[in-house]
Amino acid sequence: MKQPLTTKEMMAIIEEDPDIQNTNDIDIIYIPPEVDEVTDEEDIDDNVIGEGSLHNEIAGTFEICATNLVDSDSDDDNTPLAEFANKRRKSESKKKFNANPNWQINGTPTYSSTPVSTNNTLLNIIKAEQEGKTPLEIFSLYFDTEFIGEIIRYTKSYADQKNRHLFDIDEIDLKRFIGICILSGYHTLPQSDMYWSKDEDKGVPIVRETMSRNKFRIIKQNIHLSNNSELDKTDKFAKLTPIFKLINQKFMQFGVFEHNLSIDEEMVPYFGRHSCKMFIRGKPVRFGFKLWCLCSYNGYLFKFIPYSGKSKCEKEGTMLYDSLGTRVVMELLSVIDNPQEYRIFFDNFFSSYALFSTLKEQGFFATGTIRENRIAKCPLQATKIIGKQARGTYEFVYDSVLQTLVVRWNDNSVVTVITNTCTVLPIVSAKRYNRKEHKEVMIPQPNLVAEYNKFMGGVDLHDNGIANYRIKIRGKKWWWPLFINMIDSTVVNSWKIYNIANETKISQIEFRSMLATSLMKYEAAQPSNKEPIFVNHGRLSRISLPIDVRFDNIGHFINKHETSARKKCRVCNNNTIYLCMKCKVHIHPECFYVFHVK
């Protein structure tokens, strides 16, 4: 079915047409413009807070292509939308991996080597070096002088190219700008301009005191992450590549400190026009950019790769590995120096017998779900047959060539898992709801399935940490969603390291609040002769005064409360009418020095 459609008609067909709902594949096609410095800014209202709307943000007509002729081993699900415009399905069969496994039904797995965890050593180093550091100090390990300096350099260069020679920015301005952006993730207003409103029901006083609205707009207008005169025209993410490479290095500064790692995809919401934008039906974020991620099982991001479709090597047929899944896994694992110290978990998009052959050569230990047609003619019973047996039924085979175990287990649906490190035994119990008996029952579960369920969700945990408090301020540049997603990823990683170093479990909202406040008050200017305006914020919460602000020795001065209200001094607990105008806490003049010195 191919016909020109409006956006609303397109979405109605996707959601309501039974013919399309019953298909295995669905493609939405439109032709975006080429992305360069001329089309860097999009025609959107960036004052409106939110992630955008498909109905409002995509213009033009569309084509919907639905078909049942899908090769389950195909990489078409990961082809950007624009590449479908001139693409036709090829009838030639794909190159097959030449495998000669020696399958042994119910064979006992014997592994010549097993992973040895040394992550406790790295974790102890992190605790020793980062213990006692504040959220701002942890965040500054990533957004350090080098990283901030690169952004400032690219931003000034871009402003000069646009003949905005009066524009200037320094580290203080940029950190305050980032602080306001982080604030918008947990303190959301309908429009970004409302943060500077003087209305009691709209404005946020700390934002007004941080910088003016016009200055914030000018910084957002000029901020840039690359040099337009040095762009690699073959790289669709050239405007982000320098900063992405640098932030990946910052994420890896502690080494790979967790024994169990997971590989998966992350979607960054985007509703504008770009040739790398993807549509994935059934995902929480259907439209956006795709990132391949390597995370610890508890959600620390070590490395990410933006997906831009087929590379030049793929088009020329000179790539090192045949399948996209294998290429992604091996590129992400390139940051690991000692493969024998880690276990890798990934889903059935990546898994194949060919991948496990490559991992065996490199010395990696891995576990993942796998599609039925990727197991090199494994002699397991068909999925349909096992699916008719009792829940909890399983069978397994062992390949002595690659020392690989494959298990097929009947749960709510039939699951096939492949591993070169885990075992079937000991059998554990899994709790499931029995519809016939109307109660929860325990069913047998192979050990490697339990291991997979326990350690696979690292990327989802990291993505959930971003989604809970995603920065809401929008920008006109097409790469803005990827930029703020990078900031959010850095905040989540900082939060993880903070809890590891201080052996605490503070919530992310508490961490973000302390960090945003510290950034917005970062190296505040010395007090001017102008009388400051006191704003009564009510009773201060425990996290409202980060120690980064209290002990920065900049901009603190004492004054009388404008209404002469008497409240307890933070040091001696006696009533006083004086307060610190930066910290907004009551303090006696004689206690002022003690309160602000570590």
Side-chain angles (χ1 to χ4, degrees):
M1 179 181 65
K2 291 188 176 182
Q3 58 179 346
L5 298 170
T6 65
T7 306
K8 293 183 178 180
E9 290 172 339
M10 175 194 68
M11 294 308 299
I13 289 177
I14 292 175
E15 296 171 356
E16 300 173 7
D17 193 319
D19 293 333
I20 289 183
Q21 291 297 325
N22 293 329
T23 60
N24 295 324
D25 193 15
I26 181 171
D27 304 333
I28 300 179
I29 306 168
Y30 73 93
I31 308 296
E34 290 295 327
V35 179
D36 55 22
E37 55 267 26
V38 177
T39 59
D40 196 27
E41 295 187 0
E42 299 177 317
D43 186 18
I44 65 171
D45 184 2
D46 60 340
N47 185 40
V48 178
I49 292 290
E51 296 176 354
S53 168
L54 176 67
H55 291 230
N56 295 331
E57 296 304 325
I58 300 182
T61 58
F62 298 80
E63 280 186 353
I64 294 181
C65 302
T67 178
N68 285 312
L69 302 176
V70 176
D71 174 12
S72 61
D73 194 27
S74 172
D75 294 334
D76 284 345
D77 289 343
N78 293 276
T79 304
L81 293 178
E83 289 193 15
F84 283 111
N86 298 314
K87 181 176 178 180
R88 296 293 182 269
R89 296 186 180 277
K90 296 182 179 180
S91 58
E92 312 85 73
S93 60
K94 300 190 75 173
K95 181 180 178 181
K96 299 298 181 181
F97 174 74
N98 294 324
N100 296 302
N102 180 22
W103 296 115
Q104 301 172 9
I105 299 177
N106 296 331
T108 303
T110 54
Y111 302 122
S112 58
S113 59
T114 55
V116 179
S117 174
T118 60
N119 63 310
N120 287 336
T121 303
L122 292 176
L123 288 175
N124 290 334
I125 293 174
I126 292 174
K127 291 177 183 178
E129 293 180 350
Q130 312 305 328
E131 184 180 7
K133 288 189 176 181
T134 64
L136 178 59
E137 290 172 332
I138 297 293
F139 181 79
S140 297
L141 294 174
Y142 306 98
F143 276 57
D144 56 8
T145 303
E146 178 189 13
F147 191 85
I148 293 291
E150 285 294 285
I151 296 179
I152 292 175
R153 181 169 67 88
Y154 291 135
T155 300
K156 289 182 177 179
S157 174
Y158 176 75
D160 288 340
Q161 291 172 4
K162 296 295 181 179
N163 294 321
R164 301 165 187 160
H165 302 294
L166 296 179
F167 172 80
D168 193 22
I169 186 174
D170 57 20
E171 181 180 358
I172 296 176
D173 293 332
L174 185 56
K175 286 194 172 182
R176 289 178 176 181
F177 175 85
I178 293 172
I180 294 174
C181 290
I182 294 174
L183 172 75
S184 71
Y186 62 87
H187 193 313
T188 306
L189 294 173
Q191 297 178 353
S192 58
D193 285 353
M194 288 185 178
Y195 288 104
W196 286 268
S197 174
K198 294 185 178 179
D199 296 339
E200 293 182 356
D201 62 332
K202 300 185 187 72
V204 181
I206 190 174
V207 175
R208 289 204 310 270
E209 296 166 5
T210 298
M211 69 171 55
S212 68
R213 181 184 61 187
N214 287 341
K215 186 171 184 178
F216 183 86
R217 286 176 176 175
I218 292 172
I219 292 176
K220 188 171 71 168
Q221 179 189 31
N222 289 283
I223 195 166
H224 222 64
L225 308 177
S226 63
N227 190 335
N228 282 343
S229 61
E230 300 175 356
L231 293 179
D232 179 4
K233 298 298 182 179
T234 64
D235 182 6
K236 296 180 181 179
F237 290 107
K239 287 182 176 290
L240 295 156
T241 298
I243 292 299
F244 277 1
K245 287 182 178 179
L246 191 55
I247 197 63
N248 272 321
Q249 294 173 11
K250 303 299 180 184
F251 288 162
M252 279 293 299
Q253 64 184 286
F254 305 110
V256 182
F257 53 81
E258 287 292 351
H259 179 55
N260 298 292
L261 309 174
S262 64
I263 292 176
D264 206 349
E265 62 188 23
E266 175 190 333
M267 288 292 288
V268 180
Y270 176 69
F271 300 93
R273 295 185 174 189
H274 193 275
S275 58
C276 295
K277 189 181 74 169
M278 302 190 62
F279 169 79
I280 302 182
R281 186 174 59 178
K283 292 286 186 179
V285 178
R286 295 180 298 166
F287 288 89
F289 297 110
K290 175 179 287 189
L291 305 177
W292 307 113
C293 300
L294 172 68
C295 286
S296 66
Y297 79 96
N298 55 4
Y300 182 93
L301 177 64
F302 292 105
K303 183 177 181 178
F304 67 93
I305 304 169
Y307 181 62
S308 58
K310 286 189 176 181
S311 65
K312 182 178 180 180
C313 290
E314 292 176 70
K315 294 175 181 178
E316 295 176 353
T318 59
M319 61 274 193
L320 184 61
Y321 303 109
D322 288 336
S323 69
L324 172 63
T326 301
R327 292 194 296 274
V328 170
V329 170
M330 299 314 298
E331 186 172 354
L332 288 173
L333 295 182
S334 63
V335 299
I336 295 179
D337 296 327
N338 301 307
Q340 67 276 8
E341 298 177 1
Y342 304 97
R343 298 195 302 174
I344 319 299
F345 296 84
F346 39 75
D347 62 21
N348 61 16
F349 172 79
F350 305 96
S351 297
S352 66
Y353 191 86
L355 171 60
F356 273 77
S357 175
T358 304
L359 292 173
K360 177 69 175 178
E361 294 175 2
Q362 301 289 335
F364 286 100
F365 299 95
T367 301
T369 55
I370 190 168
R371 299 176 186 177
E372 190 170 0
N373 63 340
R374 294 186 180 181
I375 325 176
K377 299 180 180 179
C378 180
L380 288 170
Q381 292 188 68
T383 299
K384 293 182 179 179
I385 297 176
I386 294 184
K388 295 178 181 179
Q389 301 180 26
R391 184 184 291 185
T393 301
Y394 68 91
E395 65 175 24
F396 59 93
V397 296
Y398 174 70
D399 172 28
S400 58
V401 176
L402 287 186
Q403 297 183 358
T404 300
L405 178 69
V406 181
V407 176
R408 185 161 286 165
W409 177 59
N410 185 26
D411 190 16
N412 294 326
S413 60
V414 179
V415 179
T416 307
V417 183
I418 183 171
T419 182
N420 62 2
T421 180
C422 298
T423 58
V424 176
L425 300 176
I427 301 297
V428 299
S429 297
K431 185 183 293 185
R432 296 293 185 270
Y433 183 78
N434 189 308
R435 293 183 179 179
K436 293 182 179 179
E437 300 180 10
H438 302 288
K439 64 177 183 180
E440 290 184 337
V441 296
M442 305 301 291
I443 65 171
Q445 184 183 63
N447 176 63
L448 78 166
V449 178
E451 291 279 288
Y452 176 84
N453 290 337
K454 181 177 180 181
F455 298 116
M456 174 55 200
V459 177
D460 291 334
L461 278 175
H462 184 86
D463 194 26
N464 184 64
I466 294 175
N468 286 339
Y469 307 104
R470 191 186 301 276
I471 292 174
K472 299 300 191 302
I473 290 179
R474 303 170 68 194
K476 288 182 176 293
K477 297 177 174 64
W478 65 264
W479 48 260
W480 178 262
L482 288 164
F483 172 59
I484 61 174
N485 187 82
M486 181 187 68
I487 296 176
D488 282 326
S489 284
T490 306
V491 174
V492 173
N493 275 2
S494 302
W495 171 50
K496 300 288 183 181
I497 293 296
Y498 181 86
N499 281 339
I500 290 173
N502 296 284
E503 297 184 345
T504 60
K505 290 186 178 180
I506 70 169
S507 64
Q508 188 186 172
I509 181 64
E510 188 175 351
F511 181 86
R512 279 185 177 255
S513 177
M514 291 190 288
L515 175 60
T517 304
S518 299
L519 285 169
M520 286 187 286
K521 294 189 176 183
Y522 179 75
E523 293 188 5
Q526 295 294 334
S528 63
N529 295 327
K530 184 178 180 181
E531 186 71 15
I533 301 174
F534 174 77
V535 181
N536 185 5
H537 296 283
R539 185 177 180 181
L540 293 170
S541 67
R542 180 170 62 88
I543 63 174
S544 63
L545 182 59
I547 59 176
D548 292 300
V549 176
R550 178 178 171 185
F551 297 131
D552 64 4
N553 297 323
I554 300 174
H556 299 274
F557 64 98
I558 196 167
N559 199 3
K560 289 184 178 180
H561 191 290
E562 62 174 8
T563 62
S564 298
R566 301 178 67 85
K567 292 186 179 181
K568 286 185 177 181
C569 171
R570 280 295 183 93
V571 177
C572 65
N573 289 328
N574 293 323
N575 289 338
T576 179
I577 62 172
Y578 293 94
L579 78 160
C580 174
M581 300 305 293
K582 180 177 180 179
C583 299
K584 299 294 191 297
V585 296
H586 279 70
I587 197 81
H588 279 111
E590 55 269 26
C591 300
F592 182 82
Y593 176 78
V594 176
F595 181 75
H596 291 98
V597 176
K598 293 185 180 181

